[in-house]
Amino acid sequence: MLKDNTYLETLYDGYGQSFSVDEMLFEQKTEHQHLVIFNNKMFGRMMALDGVIQTTEKDEFIYHEMMTHVPILTHGNAKRVLIIGGGDGGILREVLKHQNVEHVTMVEIDGAVVDMCKKWLPNHSAGAYEDPRTHLVIDDGINFVSDSKKTPDSRFDVIISDCTDPIGPGEVLFSSDFYAGCKRLLKEGGIFVAQNGVCFMQLDEVETTTRRLGHYMEDCYFYSAAVPTYVGGIMTFAWGSDNPEARNVSLETVTERFNACGIETRYYSPAIHKAAFALPRYVEQAIQKVND
Ligand code: SAM
């Protein structure tokens, strides 16, 4: 919420972060959300939805690289990728760095987020929407994964859910129906990842996702990275695959694939990739509690 040129995040009761609004660039109640884009002297241009920080120019690379290169380099031969959400364009940018990827469908509920991020955060998408491999659908992700005809060439090797928190329009993207739809659209050996909240603050999301996603995926686990403006510690990324061996890919193999694809990164490395699946004990215990 905006108060005296300060943006106060309202995600947690009694705790939060605030940012000086050094220049307000855009503010609108869209059909789905309250969208705000402003300039902050520390984090550059940043976007918030419904009182929650979504992305900033300064730290977006951490989140976008980890949500993209970990599943794609684990898979090793991803040609068709589905992005759910991701309206700022950062995930799309990173996916399209993989020349092996031939087709990307992105399903974003709010066209205003796409348009305003193209205008005010152009470095996030960096021309990715103009790439001939990009197929943008403005719709609710649950509709897309529920309605899509399951034919071999309509399925995907990797699905990335870059969604908001499980409140408002994003809530349905943490539902069993959504995971069931994603499972249906995954090719054999396919990999699903999703933002899953900051575990120290939102441990219930780890438990709920373990229960719901774990029901449909042979292997359901998490990896993590610390994103400064997702306040409260490390962020977890949900991982689902019907190939339980997939995430045990060796460091050597990931390194080979990373070197071969020739992608420049600022956070992601094969060593970070492997280390990211080492979770704090309290998170392992939360997962175990559900699986017991
Ligand atoms: N990285 C951010 C995070 O972790 O909080 C998410 C960023 S991304 C901008 C989130 C996007 O999800 C937004 O553009 C929002 O409009 C979109 N979104 C929310 N609910 C959705 C739904 N049901 N279907 C498709 N997109 C949705």
Side-chain angles (χ1 to χ4, degrees):
M1 98 184 141
L2 272 169
K3 198 161 175 280
D4 315 334
N5 283 337
T6 300
Y7 195 86
L8 299 169
E9 186 174 54
T10 56
L11 185 56
Y12 305 116
D13 190 17
Y15 168 70
Q17 54 183 342
S18 66
F19 301 83
S20 60
V21 176
D22 300 303
E23 186 190 359
M24 178 53 79
L25 301 168
F26 182 82
E27 182 189 2
Q28 185 192 57
K29 185 81 188 72
T30 76
E31 195 190 334
H32 302 279
Q33 310 160 101
H34 179 225
L35 168 59
V36 177
I37 302 177
F38 61 93
N39 213 355
N40 167 267
K41 54 178 159 273
M42 281 286 291
F43 287 95
R45 292 182 176 188
M46 45 195 301
M47 188 255 287
L49 290 169
D50 290 345
V52 182
I53 303 301
Q54 298 296 309
T55 190
T56 82
E57 286 181 317
K58 191 85 179 277
D59 65 0
E60 58 86 9
F61 67 98
I62 302 169
Y63 174 87
H64 291 132
E65 290 181 8
M66 291 302 280
M67 281 273 278
T68 302
H69 307 315
V70 172
I72 291 181
L73 291 174
T74 300
H75 186 283
N77 188 26
K79 296 202 177 319
R80 289 177 53 84
V81 176
L82 172 63
I83 301 170
I84 302 290
D88 56 67
I91 297 278
L92 183 63
R93 179 195 73 217
E94 292 300 313
V95 169
L96 292 170
K97 286 183 178 174
H98 293 267
Q99 295 313 315
N100 188 48
V101 170
E102 298 170 353
H103 172 108
V104 184
T105 294
M106 182 173 136
V107 183
E108 164 57 56
I109 197 170
D110 198 332
V113 172
V114 172
D115 296 342
M116 289 307 116
C117 287
K118 268 191 200 170
K119 180 172 181 186
W120 298 109
L121 290 164
N123 302 328
H124 271 58
S125 53
Y129 288 108
E130 284 65 51
D131 187 303
R133 296 172 288 172
T134 298
H135 304 264
L136 176 62
V137 178
I138 300 298
D139 193 0
D140 190 328
I142 190 73
N143 296 341
F144 184 85
V145 301
S146 310
D147 301 350
S148 288
K149 303 279 168 295
K150 183 182 169 186
T151 56
D153 50 6
S154 73
R155 295 194 292 166
F156 298 91
D157 301 297
V158 170
I159 299 178
I160 302 174
S161 178
D162 176 22
C163 54
T164 45
D165 288 275
I167 38 180
E171 188 171 359
V172 70
L173 303 182
F174 291 78
S175 68
S176 294
D177 289 349
F178 176 69
Y179 297 137
C182 289
K183 169 70 189 219
R184 207 169 52 82
L185 287 184
L186 268 183
K187 285 187 181 172
E188 201 170 325
I191 296 170
F192 168 90
V193 298
Q195 80 88 354
N196 203 80
V198 171
C199 46
F200 187 80
M201 308 299 295
Q202 301 164 306
L203 193 59
D204 57 324
E205 283 184 32
V206 168
E207 293 167 2
T208 308
T209 300
T210 302
R211 193 173 304 112
R212 292 177 183 167
L213 180 64
H215 180 74
Y216 296 100
M217 303 290 180
E218 189 70 27
D219 181 37
C220 173
Y221 204 65
F222 302 83
Y223 62 106
S224 75
V227 181
T229 54
Y230 298 153
V231 73
I234 55 173
M235 167 163 259
T236 55
F237 306 109
W239 172 275
S241 178
D242 59 4
N243 171 8
E245 282 318 304
R247 71 183 152 91
N248 301 324
V249 60
S250 70
L251 177 60
E252 293 65 39
T253 301
V254 172
T255 305
E256 260 167 47
R257 290 174 181 169
F258 181 58
N259 295 340
C261 72
I263 288 177
E264 281 300 319
T265 56
R266 294 169 55 208
Y267 185 87
Y268 177 91
S269 72
I272 282 274
H273 174 147
K274 293 299 291 174
F277 286 89
L279 298 171
R281 196 76 192 101
Y282 74 93
V283 179
E284 288 180 333
Q285 286 160 342
I287 297 166
Q288 201 49 50
K289 196 173 84 185
V290 174
N291 290 336
D292 280 350

